[in-house]
Amino acid sequence: QVQLVESGGGLVQAGGSLRLSCTTAGFTQYTFAVAWFRQTPEQEREGVSCLPASEATPYYLDSVKGRFTTSRDNANGTVYLDMNNLQPEDTGVYYCATNLVGGCPPIKITKWEFRFWGQGTQVTVSS
């Protein structure tokens, strides 16, 4: 079965950093695109980033460009989201997701394009 598990969330002050990890299982011998989403009670789940299976440049939500970086450990398939200069508006539950395809959606990253999800990890940024 396909399993994704997020970890690394926590409470940080504005300006701080966190590294989120997405551990994947069930497709370790193949590389697929992996996206990061976040969700709050006030906002629908929104796409934060998408890392293609290829060496193509990842996609990022405009509001996180220059602050967040997603990457992959090719040895074990772990996908990371490095978040720097965190702001209170970055608070939310962060999820990783895949649909077992190599490419990212061509227009925008939406939840409808992804079938397999982790359980989420809470990120809270205080002022």
Side-chain angles (χ1 to χ4, degrees):
Q1 60 178 326
V2 176
Q3 293 178 300
L4 300 92
V5 179
E6 304 93 340
S7 62
L11 173 64
V12 298
Q13 293 185 333
S17 300
L18 285 173
R19 166 173 266 198
L20 305 184
S21 299
C22 178
T23 300
T24 60
F27 53 96
T28 57
Q29 291 185 280
Y30 301 92
T31 302
F32 300 102
V34 174
W36 286 94
F37 290 77
R38 65 187 180 192
Q39 185 172 355
T40 69
E42 296 181 344
Q43 190 170 2
E44 295 294 321
R45 191 171 300 185
E46 65 176 347
V48 175
S49 68
C50 185
L51 180 64
S54 71
E55 296 298 322
T57 302
Y59 294 91
Y60 295 100
L61 184 68
D62 284 345
S63 62
V64 309
K65 287 181 179 178
R67 298 189 297 120
F68 290 12
T69 302
T70 186
S71 61
R72 174 183 287 109
D73 183 338
N74 290 319
N76 57 30
T78 300
V79 174
Y80 301 102
L81 184 68
D82 291 297
M83 305 183 294
N84 300 307
N85 192 23
L86 284 161
Q87 301 299 311
E89 55 264 35
D90 296 316
T91 293
V93 179
Y94 282 70
Y95 303 85
C96 61
T98 188
N99 202 36
L100 304 184
V101 298
C104 292
I107 301 175
K108 62 180 180 180
I109 310 303
T110 70
K111 61 184 180 181
W112 308 109
E113 302 293 335
F114 298 88
R115 179 177 181 181
F116 302 97
W117 299 82
Q119 294 300 307
T121 184
Q122 177 71 44
V123 172
T124 303
V125 185
S126 62
S127 300

